[in-house]
Amino acid sequence: MESFKKVAIMGGTHGNEFTGIYLIKKFEKFPQLVTKSSFETLTVLSNPEAFRVCRRYVDKDLNRCFVKEILNNFLGSTYEENRAKFLNQTLGPKENPQVDFILDLHTTTANMGLSIILLSNHPFNIRLAAYLSSIEPTVKIYSWIEPDKESSFLNSICERGFGIEVGPIPHGTLNAHLFEQTERLILTILDYLDQCNQNDISKIDNTVTIYQHLKTVDYPKNKNGEIEGMVHPELQGRDYEELKPGDPLFLTFDDRTIYYEEEALVYPVFINEAAYYEKGIAMCLTTKESIEFPM
């Protein structure tokens, strides 16, 4: 049976994603909300300087800094690289952490609803995600795991844990409905971890639907790298819905429709995420899979 002694809730890995930041502030003001007798709960504002200036990051995306090349480099670094080293020293080190579970809170401008973002196939992560989706059917599970690539996300410090993405919500804003949904999800997770320590877990069906990361797709661009089109209006906002061969994908500025031409049926997520323009990502394509997991 899984057990937990120390759990970390992280908010503000991106400084303009206010839901996680103000939940951290709320939990610090009212610690009884996240206090459990069976484990210690840490609440951490991940990127305080980016929050101060209301930007995603100061120098570099913090959620792309948790690779060993950066964490083990003692030479001069950017603000976020130094912050990643500090968080790794506080919670880690990576792959040998001082905490037993990390929950990293994010928001997105895409229509992702309540999404669990898996970065590790640890059986506990899948069981917990399945439990959450069983009691709240609107919760979707997206596995963004690239097997041949070291994860650079904050959650990669600890094998047990995942991210929560909530949207759509504009950067630098709060939405009361989404704030309350996120808070309820966090408290449900803490209850589940506490029940694990008490060896009192409710049985659920051992089959769960997971959207497995396939690849990213960029916007149409010219030879100078400038965007020449937008997500097609028939696709906009349809995160987790099927995209079939022949469906509209992009609409160019000269009113030409670009269609999805591959053979596989896919399910796009993070469609038209504002923060991903700089990364050359118009959307992520996933496959929808029903998997069985050990109880």
Side-chain angles (χ1 to χ4, degrees):
M1 177 60 65
E2 303 280 350
S3 62
F4 303 87
K5 295 181 179 179
K6 187 176 293 187
V7 173
I9 306 174
M10 317 295 292
T13 300
H14 297 131
N16 57 2
E17 297 180 6
F18 280 3
T19 300
I21 292 167
Y22 282 98
L23 278 168
I24 292 297
K25 290 180 174 293
K26 179 176 180 176
F27 295 152
E28 289 177 347
K29 186 174 182 179
F30 305 104
Q32 67 272 18
L33 293 172
V34 293
T35 298
K36 297 294 178 182
S37 61
S38 68
F39 59 80
E40 177 185 1
T41 304
L42 305 176
T43 52
V44 182
L45 180 58
S46 305
N47 197 336
E49 184 61 20
F51 169 56
R52 187 185 69 81
V53 295
C54 192
R55 286 163 48 186
R56 182 175 175 85
Y57 54 82
V58 177
D59 297 313
K60 183 177 182 177
D61 191 335
L62 177 60
N63 216 29
R64 302 299 184 273
C65 289
F66 292 88
V67 291
K68 294 174 184 176
E69 181 181 358
I70 292 174
L71 299 176
N72 297 332
N73 181 5
F74 297 100
L75 300 177
S77 304
T78 66
Y79 169 77
E80 273 81 13
E81 288 174 340
N82 284 329
R83 186 66 183 169
K85 294 174 189 177
F86 170 79
L87 292 173
N88 187 54
Q89 292 171 355
T90 303
L91 305 174
K94 186 173 182 177
E95 298 179 353
N96 187 27
Q98 302 172 52
V99 295
D100 302 302
F101 189 91
I102 296 178
L103 186 62
D104 193 21
L105 309 178
H106 291 264
T107 58
T108 172
T109 62
N111 189 27
M112 297 278 284
L114 288 173
S115 293
I116 301 298
I117 311 297
L118 295 178
L119 301 175
S120 162
N121 276 329
H122 192 287
F124 179 80
N125 295 339
I126 297 174
R127 288 199 302 272
L128 174 53
Y131 170 75
L132 296 172
S133 67
S134 73
I135 62 174
E136 179 47 75
T138 62
V139 169
K140 299 290 194 301
I141 305 169
Y142 169 35
S143 177
W144 194 340
I145 298 173
E146 299 172 275
D148 300 325
K149 182 180 178 182
E150 181 189 3
S151 176
S152 60
F153 298 146
L154 186 155
N155 263 111
S156 66
I157 291 177
C158 184
E159 194 175 21
R160 292 187 297 181
F162 44 64
I164 295 178
E165 283 280 359
V166 184
I169 183 169
H171 293 147
T173 68
L174 288 166
N175 176 300
H177 179 62
L178 293 175
F179 187 96
E180 290 176 343
Q181 283 188 313
T182 307
E183 182 176 9
R184 284 197 298 269
L185 192 61
I186 294 167
L187 299 183
T188 300
I189 291 169
L190 295 179
D191 285 343
Y192 186 90
L193 300 181
D194 188 44
Q195 290 166 10
C196 283
N197 284 346
Q198 310 300 332
N199 197 18
D200 183 26
I201 294 298
S202 302
K203 296 294 183 182
I204 60 171
D205 184 66
N206 70 331
T207 302
V208 64
T209 298
I210 294 183
Y211 295 83
Q212 301 280 0
H213 180 82
L214 185 62
K215 65 178 181 178
T216 62
V217 176
D218 199 356
Y219 295 91
K221 292 180 177 177
N222 62 24
K223 62 182 180 181
N224 296 321
E226 298 171 328
I227 288 177
E228 290 192 317
M230 308 160 282
V231 169
H232 196 279
E234 292 185 21
L235 179 58
Q236 179 63 46
R238 291 180 50 205
D239 298 76
Y240 294 110
E241 296 184 28
E242 65 179 28
L243 179 68
K244 305 184 299 296
D247 284 349
L249 192 61
F250 296 109
L251 180 66
T252 66
F253 298 142
D254 58 359
D255 294 325
R256 178 173 56 91
T257 296
I258 297 175
Y259 297 93
Y260 175 65
E261 296 181 345
E262 299 184 27
E263 296 181 359
L265 175 68
V266 293
Y267 297 80
V269 298
F270 284 116
I271 299 173
N272 203 24
E273 161 60 46
Y276 287 176
Y277 275 73
E278 69 177 27
K279 301 181 186 301
I281 299 175
M283 67 195 73
C284 300
L285 300 185
T286 74
T287 58
K288 184 178 180 181
E289 301 179 14
S290 181
I291 68 168
E292 293 186 0
F293 57 91
M295 295 300 294

